[in-house]
Amino acid sequence: MRILLVEDNPELASRIARRIQRAGYAVDHVATIESARSMLDSGPYAVTLLDRRLPDGDGLSLVSLLRQKQPGGRILMLTALDAVDDRIEGLDAGADDYLTKPFNLDEMMARIRASLRRPGGERAPAVEIGALSFDLDLRSVTVAGTPARLLRRELALLEALARRAGRVVLREALISGIYGHDEEIEEHTLTTLVSRLRARLHELGAGLDIHSARGLGYMIVETKPKGPI
């Protein structure tokens, strides 16, 4: 799941990006409207965090293009323009939420999670496979009811596979959802991550395995219990 951050303050952008990455999301950062326009063709974004005061104009000018090119995406405005009229303008333009600067990064993440819920504010159902349960809202994992700790990218990979359990997820889709646009990905990077997650699931006793579809991608499946010897 990828997030697009459009923010021209480098220090703030760095803090926001680090917080998003800690939550297990891939984030692409740009500082101008023109750069954001180019990024919209690189793949789907679940959420766009959009500043208004950008070097080449008002971020609101991007909203209609975002709606056209990312029809299922959510738009969260991040701005110092905190007057009621400014907030109304942003929401009327098509933004889903409006967060004024300065803001708390934990609140920002809570708003991102809320924006990803289904219409009506309902919590997404947990993904249940084997002994594992993945809470999509809280991005937390339990195995047989016991909380399990996973590294950030292990969590992102597990989510991508668990959402499509029993089906092959293409390598390109996994790489796009786990890594940022500017990150250098070597040939073995995803393979190594899959091996690490596979070993971790076995260690946790999740009753799951990750199968490789040669040349295509990977699929997570329940392991069959061994019969009596």
Side-chain angles (χ1 to χ4, degrees):
M1 190 174 294
R2 296 169 68 200
I3 292 177
L4 178 61
L5 170 62
V6 188
E7 168 60 59
D8 65 321
N9 182 315
E11 181 180 352
L12 177 59
S14 178
R15 290 172 52 223
I16 291 173
R18 287 198 303 269
R19 182 64 184 85
I20 291 172
Q21 289 169 341
R22 285 208 314 271
Y25 300 105
V27 57
D28 294 330
H29 168 236
V30 295
T32 65
I33 292 172
E34 187 60 33
S35 297
R37 289 178 185 274
S38 299
M39 292 298 294
L40 294 183
D41 292 322
S42 68
Y45 289 100
V47 179
T48 297
L49 304 179
L50 181 59
D51 191 14
R52 285 199 59 173
R53 288 177 170 171
L54 295 165
D56 52 348
D58 188 338
L60 278 186
S61 65
L62 268 177
V63 172
S64 61
L65 184 63
L66 280 164
R67 289 298 180 210
Q68 175 188 338
K69 297 210 168 190
Q70 308 282 337
R74 301 290 186 262
I75 302 172
L76 173 57
M77 305 298 300
L78 306 177
T79 177
L81 298 174
D82 59 355
V84 172
D85 287 346
D86 292 320
R87 296 199 297 273
I88 292 173
E89 183 182 19
L91 295 170
D92 283 347
D96 296 290
D97 202 354
Y98 204 104
L99 193 57
T100 57
K101 301 175 182 177
F103 52 83
N104 181 281
L105 293 179
D106 288 337
E107 180 185 358
M108 178 195 74
M109 290 308 308
R111 288 176 182 255
I112 289 174
R113 291 193 299 271
S115 75
L116 293 172
R117 292 175 190 151
R118 295 177 297 175
E122 298 177 38
R123 287 178 58 86
V127 174
E128 309 277 354
I129 174 173
L132 181 140
S133 176
F134 196 129
D135 188 312
L136 297 174
D137 280 330
L138 298 179
R139 296 184 61 74
S140 63
V141 175
T142 59
V143 175
T146 301
R149 291 183 60 83
L150 295 171
L151 298 178
R152 171 170 60 88
R153 285 197 168 125
E154 292 173 353
L155 188 69
L157 173 60
L158 177 61
E159 178 178 3
L161 294 173
R163 282 178 179 271
R164 302 167 183 83
R167 292 177 287 167
V168 174
V169 185
L170 298 180
R171 286 181 60 91
E172 293 78 8
L174 291 171
I175 290 171
S176 174
I178 295 170
Y179 301 97
H181 182 75
D182 294 330
E183 294 183 78
E184 294 186 9
I185 308 302
E186 298 181 2
E187 184 69 24
H188 65 277
T189 300
L190 181 60
T191 304
T192 301
L193 179 61
V194 169
S195 296
R196 201 168 70 218
L197 177 60
R198 183 186 287 123
R200 182 67 175 134
L201 292 174
H202 178 74
E203 176 188 338
L204 290 168
L208 301 172
D209 195 10
I210 301 174
H211 291 178
S212 172
R214 187 176 296 276
L216 293 175
Y218 297 92
M219 173 175 61
I220 195 168
V221 296
E222 293 188 42
T223 54
K224 294 181 180 179
K226 295 180 179 180
I229 298 176

